[in-house]
Amino acid sequence: MSGRSPTAAAAASTAADPAPAPGFDAESRLAAVISPLRRTLLTAARERGDLPDIPDAQIEVVRALLPASGEAERGPAELAEALHLNRSTVSNLLGAMEADGLVQRRRATGDGRRVVVALSPRAIDLFGRFDQAAGEILRDALGSLDPADRAAVAAAVPALERLAAALHGADR
């Protein structure tokens, strides 16, 4: 046995370098690893943090409303634009999230016609716990890699952030 926890081993094996198939370029390899890596991290963090199974779309809404995103409250139309979703989809998400105690809707200060959405204290707590659990899992998994791989992952983070920004720009 390697000494790693099953969660760390699963995260590490999901992120392992897939054997390239003929004609399987770097872009295809990246696309093939991102989704399983994200799913594995979400599942492992939920387990470690004893967190509820919140749908991915709701997680994206919360991320868009976290104070670190620059806007602690937004209108539904602004959220739809930021998340590249239809307004009706965002409206349905917000309804479910409000029922689960994750968001609060209220009239905008200074404009009683406009509705804004903010995270509830429950959502802030849950996502703080999620981020802590995910950070621990990633530290464990990265610790199982050799130093060269850890350095490569660390060096790739800024490029991946720029790639995410470029993909958001390509959606517009």
Side-chain angles (χ1 to χ4, degrees):
M1 182 117 175
S2 68
R4 292 186 293 187
S5 72
T7 303
S13 69
T14 300
D17 228 12
F24 202 53
D25 56 24
E27 294 83 5
S28 297
R29 289 180 67 199
L30 181 60
V33 77
I34 286 174
S35 184
L37 177 64
R38 184 173 190 271
R39 271 193 320 273
T40 300
L41 181 59
L42 283 171
T43 300
R46 285 175 180 141
E47 289 173 10
R48 184 174 287 195
D50 194 27
L51 298 164
D53 187 8
I54 297 171
D56 288 355
Q58 291 184 11
I59 291 171
E60 296 304 318
V61 170
V62 170
R63 293 269 178 232
L65 290 170
L66 284 171
S69 71
E71 300 190 42
E73 62 182 32
R74 290 182 174 183
E78 294 169 293
L79 279 171
E81 184 177 331
L83 297 171
H84 307 286
L85 296 172
N86 291 326
R87 287 183 184 189
S88 62
T89 301
V90 170
S91 180
N92 291 335
L93 284 169
L94 293 174
M97 293 175 75
E98 189 171 30
D100 289 341
L102 297 174
V103 297
Q104 301 165 338
R105 294 190 228 204
R106 64 172 182 76
R107 297 286 175 196
T109 305
D111 183 357
R113 298 169 296 165
R114 186 170 172 258
V115 172
V116 292
V117 181
L119 295 177
S120 69
R122 177 176 184 259
I124 293 169
D125 173 64
L126 286 173
F127 283 86
R129 290 174 31 215
F130 172 82
D131 285 345
Q132 180 178 350
E136 291 169 0
I137 290 162
L138 286 169
R139 275 189 292 284
D140 290 349
L142 287 166
S144 72
L145 301 178
D146 66 54
D149 282 345
R150 281 195 303 272
V153 170
V157 171
L160 290 170
E161 291 169 339
R162 289 188 298 275
L163 177 60
L167 289 170
H168 279 292
D171 283 349
R172 294 175 187 237

